[in-house]
Amino acid sequence: VLKDTTGFMLSFDLDACDPNFAPGTGTPKRGGLTYRECHYILEKLAASKKLLAAEFVELNPSLDPNGETTEVALSLIASA
């Protein structure tokens, strides 16, 4: 699929993560992606060498008083 393209851009919505480890989003939903699943996805995308840009969205600092979701977002960015 990526053979004939320069690359792709990723928009990662933190609402997709399970709120047990990423509660600071506007629409947390139980049963979202696990911490490990999120990292696995980002590691695979990065390994493709075609990831040109990424944005991580839906972090709501007012709903993240302990900075837990912020730390998750930074960790996911590092995986990408």
Side-chain angles (χ1 to χ4, degrees), residues 14-43:
L14 292 164
D15 285 343
C17 302
D18 193 286
N20 286 324
F21 73 92
T25 66
T27 54
K29 298 291 183 213
R30 195 175 72 221
L33 295 171
T34 67
Y35 184 81
R36 184 65 203 125
E37 288 169 334
C38 291
H39 279 281
Y40 178 79
I41 290 165
L42 292 166
E43 289 164 2

Side-chain angles (χ1 to χ4, degrees), residues 30-74:
R30 195 175 72 221
L33 295 171
T34 67
Y35 184 81
R36 184 65 203 125
E37 288 169 334
C38 291
H39 279 281
Y40 178 79
I41 290 165
L42 292 166
E43 289 164 2
K44 286 295 186 179
L45 293 175
S48 75
K49 304 292 185 195
K50 296 282 190 165
L51 180 59
L52 301 175
E55 65 178 351
F56 290 76
V57 299
E58 299 302 327
L59 172 62
N60 186 333
S62 65
L63 298 174
D64 191 36
N66 297 325
E68 186 176 2
T69 307
T70 301
E71 290 298 320
V72 167
L74 292 171

